[in-house]
Amino acid sequence: MPSRLDAAVLEVLRQLVLEDNDALLREYRERLAERTGVTVCLAVICEALKRLKLRPKRPFGRPSRSGPRLPPSVRLTASR
């Protein structure tokens, strides 16, 4: 399957990661769109980073597991 990102856009993405490797994938997508006018889904950004052999610190934008957690008494439970 051909890439939706050409070599020039991939180079911009590489520079974005080098400038700030602590950004979220959605932030890379937004910055890439600002700089190149190319808008793609997060999966395309993720695959492009894999091809470039780059790994941002927070690849999926999920909160850290070491972050605050709710005590069991506060968590929601599914009703049957």
Side-chain angles (χ1 to χ4, degrees):
M1 173 168 59
S3 172
R4 294 186 62 190
L5 304 178
D6 64 20
V9 175
L10 287 173
E11 185 54 35
V12 172
L13 180 59
R14 178 189 305 275
Q15 287 301 314
L16 290 172
V17 176
L18 293 176
E19 290 169 12
D20 179 13
N21 74 337
D22 199 32
L24 304 173
L25 288 177
R26 65 178 170 78
E27 292 171 324
Y28 290 130
R29 179 182 61 186
E30 292 166 2
R31 293 172 190 170
L32 190 67
E34 288 171 3
R35 291 195 189 179
T36 66
V38 173
T39 304
V40 293
C41 68
L42 293 179
V44 171
I45 298 292
C46 187
E47 287 302 314
L49 292 175
K50 286 180 187 177
R51 276 188 285 139
L52 293 170
K53 296 183 171 121
L54 296 172
R55 296 184 73 187
K57 287 183 182 177
R58 299 184 304 174
F60 301 108
R62 295 184 192 141
S64 168
R65 289 202 174 234
S66 62
R69 299 191 69 160
L70 296 174
S73 62
V74 179
R75 292 185 195 147
L76 298 175
T77 56
S79 59
R80 295 182 184 230

Coordinates of all heavy atoms in Angstrom, one line a residue:
M1 N 0.9 -1.2 0.0 CA 0.0 0.0 0.0 C 0.9 1.2 0.0 O 1.8 1.4 0.8 CB -0.9 0.0 1.2 CG -1.7 1.2 1.4 SD -3.0 1.1 2.7 CE -2.2 0.7 4.1
P2 N 0.7 2.2 -0.9 CA 1.5 3.4 -1.0 C 1.3 4.3 0.2 O 0.2 4.3 0.7 CB 1.1 4.0 -2.3 CG -0.2 3.5 -2.6 CD -0.3 2.1 -2.0
S3 N 2.3 5.0 0.6 CA 2.2 5.9 1.7 C 1.4 7.2 1.3 O 1.5 7.6 0.1 CB 3.6 6.3 2.2 OG 3.5 7.4 3.1
R4 N 0.6 7.7 2.2 CA -0.1 9.0 1.9 C 0.8 10.2 2.1 O 0.5 11.3 1.8 CB -1.3 9.1 2.8 CG -2.4 8.0 2.5 CD -3.6 8.2 3.3 NE -4.2 9.5 3.0 CZ -5.2 10.0 3.6 NH1 -5.7 9.4 4.7 NH2 -5.7 11.2 3.3
L5 N 2.0 9.9 2.7 CA 3.0 10.9 3.0 C 4.2 10.8 2.1 O 4.8 9.7 2.1 CB 3.4 10.9 4.4 CG 2.3 10.9 5.5 CD1 2.8 10.8 6.9 CD2 1.5 12.2 5.3
D6 N 4.5 11.8 1.3 CA 5.7 11.7 0.4 C 6.9 12.0 1.2 O 6.9 12.3 2.4 CB 5.5 12.7 -0.8 CG 5.4 14.1 -0.4 OD1 5.9 14.5 0.7 OD2 5.0 14.9 -1.2
A7 N 8.1 12.0 0.6 CA 9.4 12.1 1.3 C 9.5 13.5 2.0 O 10.0 13.6 3.1 CB 10.5 11.9 0.3
A8 N 9.0 14.5 1.3 CA 9.1 15.9 1.9 C 8.3 16.0 3.2 O 8.8 16.5 4.2 CB 8.7 16.9 0.9
V9 N 7.1 15.4 3.2 CA 6.2 15.4 4.4 C 6.8 14.6 5.5 O 6.8 15.0 6.7 CB 4.8 15.0 4.0 CG1 3.9 15.0 5.3 CG2 4.2 16.0 3.0
L10 N 7.4 13.4 5.1 CA 8.0 12.6 6.1 C 9.2 13.3 6.8 O 9.4 13.2 8.0 CB 8.5 11.3 5.5 CG 7.4 10.3 5.1 CD1 8.0 9.1 4.3 CD2 6.7 9.8 6.4
E11 N 9.9 14.1 6.0 CA 11.1 14.8 6.6 C 10.6 15.9 7.6 O 11.2 16.1 8.6 CB 11.9 15.5 5.5 CG 13.1 16.2 6.0 CD 14.0 15.3 6.8 OE1 14.2 14.1 6.6 OE2 14.6 15.8 7.8
V12 N 9.4 16.5 7.2 CA 8.9 17.5 8.2 C 8.4 16.8 9.5 O 8.7 17.2 10.6 CB 7.7 18.2 7.5 CG1 6.9 19.1 8.6 CG2 8.1 19.1 6.4
L13 N 7.8 15.6 9.3 CA 7.4 14.8 10.5 C 8.7 14.4 11.3 O 8.7 14.5 12.6 CB 6.7 13.6 10.1 CG 6.2 12.7 11.2 CD1 5.3 13.4 12.2 CD2 5.5 11.4 10.7
R14 N 9.7 14.0 10.7 CA 11.0 13.7 11.4 C 11.5 14.9 12.2 O 11.8 14.8 13.4 CB 12.1 13.3 10.4 CG 13.4 13.0 11.1 CD 14.5 12.8 10.1 NE 14.2 11.8 9.1 CZ 14.4 10.4 9.2 NH1 14.9 10.0 10.4 NH2 14.1 9.6 8.3
Q15 N 11.4 16.1 11.6 CA 11.9 17.3 12.3 C 11.0 17.6 13.5 O 11.4 18.1 14.5 CB 11.9 18.5 11.3 CG 13.0 18.4 10.3 CD 14.4 18.4 11.0 OE1 14.6 19.2 11.9 NE2 15.2 17.5 10.6
L16 N 9.7 17.4 13.3 CA 8.7 17.7 14.4 C 9.1 16.8 15.6 O 9.0 17.3 16.8 CB 7.3 17.4 14.0 CG 6.7 18.4 13.0 CD1 5.3 17.9 12.5 CD2 6.6 19.7 13.6
V17 N 9.4 15.5 15.4 CA 9.7 14.6 16.5 C 11.1 15.0 17.1 O 11.2 15.0 18.3 CB 9.8 13.2 16.0 CG1 10.2 12.2 17.1 CG2 8.4 12.7 15.5
L18 N 12.0 15.4 16.3 CA 13.3 15.8 16.8 C 13.2 17.1 17.6 O 13.9 17.3 18.6 CB 14.3 16.0 15.7 CG 14.7 14.8 14.9 CD1 15.6 15.1 13.7 CD2 15.4 13.8 15.8
E19 N 12.3 18.0 17.2 CA 12.1 19.2 18.0 C 11.4 19.0 19.3 O 11.6 19.7 20.3 CB 11.2 20.2 17.2 CG 11.9 20.8 16.0 CD 10.9 21.5 15.0 OE1 9.8 21.7 15.4 OE2 11.4 21.8 13.9
D20 N 10.5 18.0 19.4 CA 9.7 17.7 20.6 C 9.2 16.3 20.6 O 8.2 16.0 20.0 CB 8.5 18.7 20.6 CG 7.6 18.4 21.9 OD1 8.0 17.7 22.8 OD2 6.5 19.0 21.9
N21 N 10.0 15.4 21.2 CA 9.6 14.0 21.1 C 8.7 13.6 22.3 O 8.4 12.5 22.5 CB 10.9 13.1 21.1 CG 11.6 13.0 22.4 OD1 11.5 13.9 23.2 ND2 12.3 12.0 22.6
D22 N 8.2 14.6 23.0 CA 7.3 14.4 24.1 C 5.8 14.7 23.7 O 4.9 14.7 24.5 CB 7.7 15.2 25.3 CG 7.1 14.7 26.6 OD1 6.9 13.5 26.7 OD2 6.8 15.5 27.5
A23 N 5.6 15.0 22.4 CA 4.3 15.4 21.9 C 3.4 14.2 21.7 O 3.9 13.0 21.6 CB 4.4 16.2 20.6
L24 N 2.1 14.4 21.7 CA 1.2 13.3 21.4 C 1.0 13.2 19.9 O 1.3 14.1 19.1 CB -0.2 13.7 22.0 CG -0.3 14.0 23.5 CD1 -1.7 14.5 23.8 CD2 0.1 12.7 24.3
L25 N 0.6 12.0 19.5 CA 0.4 11.8 18.0 C -0.5 12.8 17.4 O -0.3 13.3 16.3 CB -0.2 10.4 17.8 CG 0.8 9.2 18.0 CD1 0.0 7.9 17.7 CD2 2.0 9.3 17.1
R26 N -1.6 13.2 18.1 CA -2.5 14.2 17.6 C -1.8 15.5 17.5 O -2.1 16.3 16.6 CB -3.8 14.3 18.4 CG -3.6 14.8 19.8 CD -5.0 14.9 20.6 NE -4.8 15.1 22.0 CZ -4.5 16.3 22.5 NH1 -4.3 17.3 21.7 NH2 -4.3 16.4 23.8
E27 N -0.9 15.8 18.4 CA -0.1 17.1 18.3 C 0.8 17.1 17.0 O 0.9 18.1 16.3 CB 0.7 17.3 19.5 CG -0.2 17.6 20.7 CD 0.6 17.6 22.0 OE1 1.5 16.8 22.2 OE2 0.2 18.4 22.9
Y28 N 1.4 15.9 16.8 CA 2.2 15.8 15.5 C 1.3 16.0 14.3 O 1.7 16.6 13.3 CB 2.9 14.4 15.4 CG 4.0 14.3 16.5 CD1 4.1 13.2 17.3 CD2 5.0 15.3 16.6 CE1 5.1 13.0 18.2 CE2 6.0 15.1 17.5 CZ 6.1 14.0 18.3 OH 7.1 13.8 19.2
R29 N 0.1 15.4 14.3 CA -0.8 15.5 13.2 C -1.2 17.0 13.0 O -1.1 17.4 11.8 CB -2.0 14.7 13.5 CG -3.1 14.8 12.3 CD -4.3 14.0 12.6 NE -4.9 14.5 13.8 CZ -6.0 13.9 14.4 NH1 -6.5 12.8 13.9 NH2 -6.5 14.4 15.5
E30 N -1.5 17.7 14.0 CA -1.8 19.1 13.9 C -0.7 19.9 13.4 O -0.9 20.8 12.5 CB -2.3 19.6 15.3 CG -3.6 19.0 15.7 CD -3.9 19.3 17.2 OE1 -3.1 19.9 17.9 OE2 -4.9 18.7 17.7
R31 N 0.5 19.7 13.9 CA 1.7 20.5 13.5 C 2.1 20.2 12.1 O 2.5 21.1 11.3 CB 2.9 20.2 14.5 CG 2.6 20.7 15.9 CD 3.7 20.2 16.8 NE 3.3 20.5 18.2 CZ 4.0 20.1 19.2 NH1 5.1 19.3 19.1 NH2 3.6 20.4 20.4
L32 N 1.9 18.9 11.7 CA 2.2 18.5 10.3 C 1.2 19.2 9.4 O 1.6 19.7 8.3 CB 2.1 17.0 10.2 CG 2.6 16.4 8.9 CD1 4.1 16.6 8.7 CD2 2.2 14.9 8.8
A33 N 0.0 19.3 9.7 CA -1.0 19.9 8.9 C -0.7 21.4 8.8 O -0.8 22.0 7.7 CB -2.4 19.7 9.5
E34 N -0.3 22.0 9.9 CA 0.1 23.5 9.9 C 1.2 23.8 8.9 O 1.2 24.7 8.2 CB 0.4 24.0 11.3 CG -0.8 24.1 12.2 CD -0.3 24.3 13.7 OE1 0.9 24.5 13.9 OE2 -1.2 24.4 14.5
R35 N 2.2 22.9 9.0 CA 3.5 23.1 8.2 C 3.4 22.7 6.7 O 4.0 23.3 5.9 CB 4.6 22.4 8.8 CG 5.1 23.0 10.2 CD 6.4 22.6 10.6 NE 6.7 23.0 11.9 CZ 7.8 22.7 12.6 NH1 8.8 22.0 12.0 NH2 8.0 23.1 13.8
T36 N 2.5 21.7 6.5 CA 2.5 21.1 5.1 C 1.2 21.2 4.4 O 1.1 21.0 3.2 CB 3.0 19.6 5.1 OG1 2.0 18.9 5.8 CG2 4.3 19.4 5.8
G37 N 0.1 21.4 5.2 CA -1.2 21.3 4.6 C -1.8 19.9 4.4 O -2.9 19.7 3.9
V38 N -1.0 18.9 4.9 CA -1.4 17.5 4.8 C -2.1 17.1 6.0 O -1.6 17.2 7.1 CB -0.2 16.6 4.5 CG1 -0.6 15.2 4.5 CG2 0.5 17.0 3.2
T39 N -3.3 16.6 5.9 CA -4.1 16.1 7.1 C -4.3 14.6 6.9 O -4.8 14.1 5.9 CB -5.5 16.8 7.2 OG1 -5.2 18.2 7.2 CG2 -6.2 16.4 8.4
V40 N -3.9 13.8 7.9 CA -4.0 12.4 7.9 C -4.5 11.9 9.3 O -4.5 12.7 10.2 CB -2.7 11.7 7.6 CG1 -2.3 12.0 6.1 CG2 -1.6 12.1 8.5
C41 N -5.0 10.7 9.3 CA -5.4 10.1 10.6 C -4.2 9.7 11.5 O -3.1 9.7 11.0 CB -6.3 8.9 10.4 SG -5.5 7.5 9.7
L42 N -4.5 9.5 12.7 CA -3.4 9.1 13.7 C -2.7 7.9 13.3 O -1.5 7.7 13.5 CB -4.0 9.0 15.1 CG -4.5 10.3 15.7 CD1 -5.1 10.0 17.1 CD2 -3.5 11.4 15.8
A43 N -3.4 6.9 12.7 CA -2.8 5.7 12.3 C -1.7 5.9 11.2 O -0.7 5.2 11.3 CB -3.9 4.7 11.8
V44 N -2.0 6.8 10.3 CA -1.0 7.2 9.3 C 0.3 7.8 10.0 O 1.4 7.5 9.6 CB -1.6 8.1 8.2 CG1 -0.5 8.6 7.3 CG2 -2.6 7.4 7.5
I45 N 0.1 8.7 11.0 CA 1.2 9.2 11.7 C 2.0 8.1 12.4 O 3.2 8.1 12.3 CB 0.7 10.3 12.7 CG1 0.0 11.5 12.0 CG2 1.8 10.8 13.6 CD1 0.9 12.3 11.2
C46 N 1.3 7.3 13.1 CA 1.9 6.2 13.8 C 2.7 5.3 12.8 O 3.9 5.0 13.1 CB 0.8 5.3 14.5 SG 1.5 4.1 15.6
E47 N 2.2 4.9 11.7 CA 2.9 4.1 10.7 C 4.1 4.8 10.1 O 5.2 4.2 9.9 CB 1.9 3.6 9.6 CG 0.9 2.6 10.0 CD 1.6 1.3 10.6 OE1 2.6 0.8 10.0 OE2 1.2 0.9 11.6
A48 N 3.9 6.1 9.9 CA 5.1 6.9 9.4 C 6.2 7.0 10.4 O 7.4 6.8 10.0 CB 4.6 8.3 9.0
L49 N 5.9 7.1 11.7 CA 6.9 7.1 12.7 C 7.6 5.8 12.7 O 8.9 5.7 12.9 CB 6.3 7.5 14.0 CG 5.8 8.9 14.2 CD1 5.1 9.2 15.5 CD2 6.9 9.9 14.0
K50 N 6.9 4.7 12.6 CA 7.5 3.4 12.6 C 8.5 3.2 11.4 O 9.6 2.7 11.5 CB 6.4 2.3 12.5 CG 5.7 2.0 13.7 CD 4.7 0.9 13.5 CE 3.8 0.8 14.7 NZ 2.7 -0.2 14.5
R51 N 8.0 3.7 10.2 CA 8.9 3.7 9.0 C 10.2 4.5 9.2 O 11.2 4.1 8.7 CB 8.1 4.1 7.8 CG 7.3 3.0 7.2 CD 6.8 3.4 5.8 NE 5.6 4.3 6.1 CZ 5.4 5.4 5.4 NH1 6.1 5.8 4.4 NH2 4.4 6.2 5.8
L52 N 10.0 5.6 9.9 CA 11.2 6.5 10.1 C 12.0 6.0 11.3 O 13.0 6.6 11.6 CB 10.7 7.9 10.4 CG 10.0 8.6 9.3 CD1 9.3 9.9 9.8 CD2 11.0 8.9 8.2
K53 N 11.5 4.9 12.0 CA 12.2 4.4 13.2 C 12.4 5.4 14.3 O 13.4 5.6 14.9 CB 13.6 3.8 12.8 CG 13.4 2.6 11.8 CD 14.7 2.0 11.5 CE 14.5 0.7 10.8 NZ 15.0 0.6 9.5
L54 N 11.3 6.2 14.5 CA 11.2 7.2 15.5 C 10.1 6.8 16.5 O 9.1 6.3 16.1 CB 10.9 8.5 14.9 CG 11.9 9.1 14.0 CD1 11.4 10.4 13.4 CD2 13.2 9.4 14.7
R55 N 10.4 7.0 17.8 CA 9.4 6.7 18.8 C 9.3 7.9 19.7 O 10.2 8.2 20.5 CB 9.9 5.5 19.6 CG 10.0 4.2 18.8 CD 10.3 3.1 19.6 NE 9.1 2.8 20.4 CZ 9.1 1.9 21.4 NH1 10.2 1.2 21.7 NH2 8.0 1.6 22.0
P56 N 8.1 8.6 19.6 CA 7.9 9.6 20.6 C 7.8 9.0 22.0 O 7.4 7.9 22.1 CB 6.6 10.3 20.1 CG 5.9 9.3 19.3 CD 7.0 8.4 18.7
K57 N 8.0 9.8 23.0 CA 7.9 9.4 24.4 C 6.5 8.9 24.7 O 6.3 7.9 25.4 CB 8.3 10.4 25.4 CG 9.8 10.7 25.4 CD 10.1 11.7 26.4 CE 11.6 12.0 26.4 NZ 11.9 13.0 27.4
R58 N 5.5 9.6 24.2 CA 4.1 9.3 24.5 C 3.4 8.9 23.2 O 2.7 9.8 22.7 CB 3.4 10.4 25.3 CG 4.0 10.8 26.6 CD 3.3 11.8 27.3 NE 3.1 13.0 26.5 CZ 2.4 14.1 26.8 NH1 1.8 14.1 28.0 NH2 2.3 15.1 26.1
P59 N 3.5 7.7 22.7 CA 3.1 7.4 21.4 C 1.6 7.5 21.1 O 1.2 7.8 20.0 CB 3.6 6.0 21.1 CG 3.8 5.4 22.5 CD 4.1 6.6 23.4
F60 N 0.8 7.3 22.1 CA -0.7 7.2 21.8 C -1.5 8.2 22.5 O -2.7 8.3 22.4 CB -1.2 5.8 22.1 CG -0.5 4.7 21.4 CD1 0.4 3.9 21.9 CD2 -0.7 4.7 20.0 CE1 1.0 2.9 21.2 CE2 -0.1 3.7 19.2 CZ 0.8 2.8 19.9
G61 N -0.9 9.1 23.3 CA -1.6 10.1 24.0 C -2.4 9.7 25.2 O -3.3 10.4 25.7
R62 N -2.1 8.5 25.7 CA -2.8 8.0 26.8 C -2.2 8.6 28.1 O -1.0 8.8 28.1 CB -2.7 6.5 26.9 CG -3.4 5.8 25.8 CD -3.4 4.3 25.9 NE -3.8 3.7 24.7 CZ -3.3 2.6 24.2 NH1 -2.3 2.0 24.8 NH2 -3.7 2.1 23.1
P63 N -2.9 8.8 29.1 CA -2.3 9.2 30.4 C -1.4 8.1 30.9 O -1.6 7.0 30.7 CB -3.5 9.4 31.3 CG -4.7 9.0 30.6 CD -4.4 8.6 29.2
S64 N -0.4 8.6 31.6 CA 0.5 7.6 32.2 C -0.2 6.7 33.2 O -1.0 7.2 34.0 CB 1.6 8.4 33.0 OG 2.4 7.6 33.8
R65 N 0.2 5.5 33.3 CA -0.3 4.6 34.3 C 0.1 4.9 35.7 O -0.5 4.5 36.6 CB 0.0 3.1 33.9 CG -0.7 2.6 32.7 CD -0.7 1.1 32.7 NE -1.5 0.7 31.6 CZ -2.5 -0.1 31.7 NH1 -2.8 -0.6 32.9 NH2 -3.2 -0.4 30.7
S66 N 1.2 5.6 35.8 CA 1.7 6.0 37.1 C 1.0 7.3 37.6 O 1.2 7.7 38.7 CB 3.2 6.3 37.0 OG 3.5 7.4 36.2
G67 N 0.1 7.8 36.8 CA -0.7 9.0 37.2 C -1.7 8.7 38.2 O -1.8 7.6 38.7
P68 N -2.5 9.7 38.6 CA -3.5 9.5 39.7 C -4.5 8.5 39.2 O -5.0 8.5 38.1 CB -4.1 10.9 39.9 CG -3.7 11.6 38.6 CD -2.5 11.0 38.1
R69 N -4.9 7.7 40.2 CA -6.0 6.7 39.9 C -7.1 6.9 40.9 O -6.8 7.3 42.1 CB -5.4 5.3 40.1 CG -4.3 5.0 39.0 CD -4.0 3.6 39.0 NE -5.1 2.9 38.4 CZ -5.1 1.7 37.9 NH1 -3.9 1.1 37.9 NH2 -6.1 1.1 37.4
L70 N -8.3 6.6 40.5 CA -9.4 6.7 41.4 C -9.4 5.5 42.4 O -9.1 4.4 42.0 CB -10.7 6.7 40.7 CG -10.9 7.9 39.7 CD1 -12.2 7.7 38.9 CD2 -11.0 9.2 40.5
P71 N -9.8 5.8 43.7 CA -9.9 4.7 44.6 C -11.1 3.8 44.2 O -12.0 4.3 43.5 CB -10.2 5.3 45.9 CG -10.6 6.7 45.6 CD -10.0 7.1 44.3
P72 N -11.1 2.5 44.5 CA -12.1 1.6 44.1 C -13.5 2.1 44.5 O -14.5 1.9 43.7 CB -11.8 0.3 44.9 CG -10.4 0.4 45.2 CD -10.1 1.8 45.3
S73 N -13.7 2.8 45.5 CA -15.0 3.3 45.9 C -15.6 4.3 45.0 O -16.8 4.6 44.9 CB -15.0 3.9 47.4 OG -14.1 5.0 47.4
V74 N -14.7 5.0 44.2 CA -15.1 6.1 43.3 C -15.3 5.6 41.9 O -16.0 6.2 41.1 CB -14.1 7.2 43.3 CG1 -14.5 8.3 42.4 CG2 -14.0 7.7 44.7
R75 N -14.7 4.4 41.5 CA -14.8 3.9 40.1 C -16.2 3.5 39.8 O -16.9 3.0 40.6 CB -13.8 2.7 40.0 CG -12.4 3.1 40.1 CD -11.5 1.9 39.8 NE -10.2 2.2 40.2 CZ -9.4 1.3 40.7 NH1 -9.7 0.0 40.8 NH2 -8.2 1.6 41.1
L76 N -16.5 3.7 38.5 CA -17.8 3.3 38.0 C -17.8 1.8 37.8 O -16.9 1.3 37.3 CB -18.2 4.1 36.8 CG -18.3 5.6 36.9 CD1 -18.5 6.2 35.5 CD2 -19.4 6.0 37.8
T77 N -19.0 1.2 38.0 CA -19.1 -0.2 37.7 C -20.2 -0.4 36.7 O -21.2 0.4 36.7 CB -19.4 -1.0 39.0 OG1 -20.6 -0.5 39.5 CG2 -18.2 -1.0 39.9
A78 N -20.1 -1.4 35.9 CA -21.1 -1.7 34.9 C -22.3 -2.2 35.5 O -22.2 -3.1 36.4 CB -20.6 -2.6 33.8
S79 N -23.5 -1.8 35.1 CA -24.7 -2.3 35.7 C -25.2 -3.5 34.8 O -24.9 -3.5 33.6 CB -25.8 -1.3 35.8 OG -26.1 -0.7 34.5
R80 N -25.9 -4.4 35.4 CA -26.3 -5.6 34.6 C -27.7 -5.4 34.2 O -28.6 -4.9 34.6 CB -26.2 -6.8 35.5 CG -24.8 -7.1 35.8 CD -24.8 -8.4 36.6 NE -23.4 -8.6 37.0 CZ -22.8 -9.8 36.8 NH1 -23.4 -10.8 36.3 NH2 -21.5 -9.9 37.2

